[in-house]
Amino acid sequence: MEKASALLFSGVRVDRKRFAREIARFQQPKKEPDDLEGIADAAPEALPEVKANKKEKKRKRKDKDSSDAVEGFSVFKTSESLSSILERNALEATSAEKKDVEKEIEKASILRKKYGIHISGHGVPPPLESFAELSSRYNCKPYILSNLSQLGFREPTPIQRQAIPVLLSKRDCFACAPTGSGKTLAFLCPMLMKIKPGLKNGIKAVVLCPTRELAAQTARECKKLAKGRKFYIKLMTKELSRCGDFEKMPCDVIISTPLRLDFAICKRKLDLSRVKYLVLDEADKLFELGFVEQIDSVVKACSKTTVVRTLFSATLPETVEKLASTVMVDAVRIIIGRKNSASEMIKQNLVFAGSEKGKLLAIRQSFSECLNPPVLVFVQSKERAKELYKELAFDGIKVDVIHADLSQQQREDAVDNFRSGKTWILIATDVVSRGMDFKGINCVINYDFPESAAAYIHRIGRSGRAGRPGEAVTFFTEEDKPFLRNIANVMAASGCEVPSWILALPKLRKRKHHPQRDSISTIPDDGAW
Ligand SMILES: Nc1ncnc2c1ncn2[C@@H]1O[C@H](COP(=O)(O)OP(=O)(O)OP(=O)(O)O)[C@@H](O)[C@H]1O
């Protein structure tokens, strides 16, 4: 048990086995909220952790539907007040000890309120006050603290404050926090703290990301945090998934897209049975059709009963949570701020461009009047990315393009040139809309209207990262109008002004918006110049 909770409950001699169920119930929030606004900062956390032993974990997995089982989300159905548990379970505790417990709970609650942390689940450890607590509470090795300081990270971000203690206490976890709020470190840090480097025991941790670019970025971040320790951190390349001899190759952490990892599991007999830690980054994307079978294969391959599974994203729809909760055990849910909302650091604008031609004129005019690079421009398909690239390259702007038709090397070069400032404007499909951390993007332009509110949140989240301000401009045409309301709701929820007529538009049934659009070209429709 971690030091803090050990300290909290030293002297409270409760027969935990006997009262496990009561303890768990006691730690519930008052009710299961229907929406994000309803999520209260659950008070009774930081209570004695009911450490599920292997047997108990297995039992819980079998017993999923039992309504009073202490697991996942069914636990939220019951409610009990702090005072009643103190009455029932702390019979042996002295009043001074009870006061200490209450004080710690109140402290955690205040911290959560301060940082907009909302939690559900029982026995949730208190948030970190500082990175220094990693060593005082969790015996974190000095190399991690030194790396954090070298990276310039002075204070944990809200998601890091809560997710790190949760994962260190070996709990499965759903985490939803705004784009650019440091989710990567929130799962990498506890992962490196929990596994031991070395040739023994095979692969110990797996991180899945929806794109190769994001997997490569995460592998780089992981190596930076692991600097000074001999961890074998591998990015699953095409080559590795086809020819890697994983039995001979030292590997502590593997970071991959689902397709490549699944391929290696099936064809290369990759053994993940000793994996202790499985992360699904951009989890809602990973649970979309097309990925589900591969995810299923990876989840099954990580067969250790005590594996910690965790899901991170800036958007986590209920459908995904429901699906994921079938494989999670006794999970904690962490939401920072409002669920499924855009970062408040981004100034968002909608621009009516009339038609496809209007969009081309608008972007040209905006670049000629004021170009403040780096700028990321999103379009809806690789064909349109190529078309827009041709148009803007013709104007002599330092522009590049990235889409799925390019070779791996070309994609890497496009990302590197944009990162280093050689390219001012990067035209992209949604291949870089999630997770990519291009530092200091001044503006995101949605040249083509995003297909959904989630896509909008991730796209614009490429700017306004790590506490810096950003800007997003979204063009819309007549045919996008029926879909405006979804985006306008996101804008309004993050404090941006939205014309009232848009908010009054009729509600649309959730449907992806991927219209056939006229091609991007200055050549008039009749071909006459
Ligand atoms: N504690 C910290 N202090 C300062 N900067 C931080 C801290 N943690 C992470 N960062 C920086 O914040 C930026 C965004 O982090 P990260 O890429 O993890 O965001 P994210 O929440 O995963 O975003 P997305 O939802 O877009 O994937 C990165 O440049 C990272 O280096």
Side-chain angles (χ1 to χ4, degrees):
M1 187 199 264
E2 71 225 37
K3 279 186 182 171
S5 47
L7 185 81
L8 269 177
F9 300 104
S10 54
V12 184
R13 281 176 291 281
V14 177
D15 181 343
R16 291 203 196 168
K17 253 190 189 160
R18 204 171 132 217
F19 290 111
R21 286 188 175 196
E22 282 79 355
I23 291 171
R25 284 212 200 97
F26 161 56
Q27 296 169 27
Q28 306 322 310
K30 288 243 158 88
K31 65 171 184 137
E32 164 73 313
D34 297 331
D35 54 26
L36 193 84
E37 284 93 321
I39 297 177
D41 192 7
E45 61 288 295
L47 283 165
E49 226 172 276
V50 187
K51 262 203 172 170
N53 58 26
K54 279 186 196 169
K55 238 177 167 179
E56 174 74 351
K57 267 202 164 189
K58 266 190 195 160
R59 185 192 64 73
K60 282 191 274 164
R61 277 188 183 135
K62 263 197 214 156
D63 242 68
K64 277 207 160 32
D65 296 329
S66 140
S67 61
D68 60 352
V70 184
E71 66 172 300
F73 295 92
S74 55
V75 292
F76 309 133
K77 286 172 190 150
T78 58
S79 67
E80 205 166 355
S81 68
L82 173 64
S83 53
S84 70
I85 190 157
L86 283 173
E87 257 172 45
R88 266 187 313 101
N89 290 311
L91 288 173
E92 296 168 47
T94 65
S95 63
E97 287 161 347
K98 279 192 229 167
K99 268 198 184 137
D100 282 349
V101 173
E102 281 170 342
K103 241 196 229 161
E104 287 297 328
I105 291 171
E106 200 186 328
K107 194 172 141 199
S109 207
I110 290 169
L111 267 180
R112 290 194 180 110
K113 215 173 195 159
K114 180 172 172 191
Y115 295 108
I117 301 168
H118 307 277
I119 52 152
S120 319
H122 72 78
V124 181
L128 293 174
E129 280 189 82
S130 65
F131 280 132
E133 271 192 272
L134 286 176
S135 74
S136 60
R137 262 165 75 179
Y138 297 103
N139 275 329
C140 175
K141 300 260 184 324
Y143 82 94
I144 291 201
L145 293 175
S146 145
N147 290 340
L148 286 173
S149 143
Q150 275 185 27
L151 287 165
F153 300 167
R154 287 194 198 96
E155 290 289 320
T157 65
I159 186 63
Q160 293 161 2
R161 288 180 194 274
Q162 187 61 80
I164 294 175
V166 166
L167 292 170
L168 286 175
S169 63
K170 299 188 185 168
R171 297 284 294 278
D172 285 0
C173 169
F174 292 87
C176 184
T179 52
S181 64
K183 293 186 285 297
T184 317
L185 181 78
F187 60 74
L188 288 180
C189 176
M191 179 180 93
L192 293 179
M193 283 172 68
K194 276 291 167 194
I195 61 172
K196 287 200 179 91
L199 301 175
K200 273 199 279 172
N201 295 330
I203 298 172
K204 298 156 194 99
V206 170
V207 181
L208 285 184
C209 309
T211 61
R212 292 176 231 162
E213 282 74 16
L214 184 54
Q217 177 183 289
T218 306
R220 246 191 338 265
E221 294 306 305
C222 190
K223 283 176 188 167
K224 282 187 206 161
L225 192 63
K227 206 175 103 194
R229 224 53 221 296
K230 207 161 187 252
F231 277 108
Y232 295 97
I233 297 159
K234 299 268 184 241
L235 171 67
M236 182 70 91
T237 56
K238 198 174 186 179
E239 171 108 1
L240 207 56
S241 71
R242 294 202 173 158
C243 332
D245 184 351
F246 290 94
E247 280 187 11
K248 292 196 184 129
M249 185 175 53
C251 179
D252 297 307
V253 179
I254 189 113
I255 300 170
S256 176
T257 59
L259 183 67
R260 286 184 174 168
L261 195 60
D262 180 40
F263 186 87
I265 292 167
C266 299
K267 297 281 186 306
R268 313 290 308 163
K269 308 250 180 296
L270 178 67
D271 179 14
L272 298 181
S273 64
R274 283 174 290 181
V275 166
K276 288 170 142 190
Y277 201 95
L278 170 64
V279 180
L280 305 187
D281 192 16
E282 308 294 342
D284 51 332
K285 187 76 194 166
L286 294 178
F287 275 87
E288 275 183 8
L289 278 178
F291 277 131
V292 171
E293 276 178 23
Q294 296 148 19
I295 296 295
D296 196 41
S297 148
V298 175
V299 170
K300 275 189 188 134
C302 298
S303 55
K304 201 177 170 83
T305 50
T306 52
V307 62
V308 173
R309 299 178 180 125
T310 180
L311 270 66
F312 277 78
S313 186
T315 50
L316 218 43
E318 243 163 74
T319 45
V320 170
E321 283 197 32
K322 270 192 190 140
L323 189 62
S325 63
T326 60
V327 295
M328 309 281 266
V329 179
D330 194 20
V332 174
R333 183 175 182 248
I334 307 167
I335 312 282
I336 305 298
R338 292 162 62 100
K339 196 178 165 202
N340 302 331
S341 63
S343 160
E344 291 182 1
M345 298 305 295
I346 308 165
K347 190 176 146 215
Q348 303 166 57
N349 297 298
L350 287 167
V351 172
F352 179 60
S355 63
E356 289 304 319
K357 291 254 179 308
K359 290 192 325 197
L360 191 51
L361 279 174
I363 201 168
R364 280 212 160 103
Q365 191 178 351
S366 122
F367 287 162
S368 67
E369 279 169 8
C370 154
L371 175 58
N372 188 13
V375 176
L376 187 56
V377 182
F378 283 106
V379 289
Q380 73 180 35
S381 67
K382 50 196 179 192
E383 290 73 28
R384 291 177 65 74
K386 290 174 204 170
E387 287 170 3
L388 185 59
Y389 172 70
K390 256 195 207 161
E391 290 293 332
L392 296 186
F394 186 76
D395 297 350
I397 303 173
K398 285 185 188 172
V399 61
D400 203 352
V401 64
I402 184 164
H403 52 74
D405 265 0
L406 300 180
S407 68
Q408 184 61 36
Q409 190 57 51
Q410 286 171 316
R411 278 164 71 160
E412 275 169 29
D413 289 347
V415 168
D416 290 347
N417 289 338
F418 191 51
R419 281 210 160 108
S420 67
K422 279 189 197 156
T423 304
W424 291 355
I425 299 163
L426 184 64
I427 299 167
T429 57
D430 281 318
V431 74
V432 292
S433 67
R434 281 178 176 258
M436 295 302 289
D437 187 46
F438 300 111
K439 297 221 168 23
I441 287 194
N442 284 318
C443 183
V444 168
I445 298 179
N446 286 317
Y447 187 89
D448 287 340
F449 204 77
E451 63 170 17
S452 63
Y456 175 75
I457 291 168
H458 288 279
R459 279 181 176 189
I460 69 166
R462 296 318 96 207
S463 83
R465 301 176 71 74
R468 294 185 199 96
E471 193 178 353
V473 177
T474 301
F475 290 161
F476 68 96
T477 60
E478 283 297 336
E479 67 183 325
D480 300 317
K481 268 190 184 167
F483 296 84
L484 267 180
R485 189 179 148 148
N486 280 348
I487 305 304
N489 284 341
V490 173
M491 290 174 65
S494 52
C496 295
E497 263 182 47
V498 182
S500 52
W501 68 267
I502 298 181
L503 294 171
L505 285 170
K507 265 189 190 170
L508 266 191
R509 282 184 60 227
K510 275 181 196 163
R511 198 151 48 96
K512 290 205 168 165
H513 179 48
H514 211 83
Q516 188 76 35
R517 297 185 186 273
D518 291 342
S519 57
I520 304 171
S521 164
T522 23
I523 302 171
D525 292 337
D526 58 8
W529 278 86

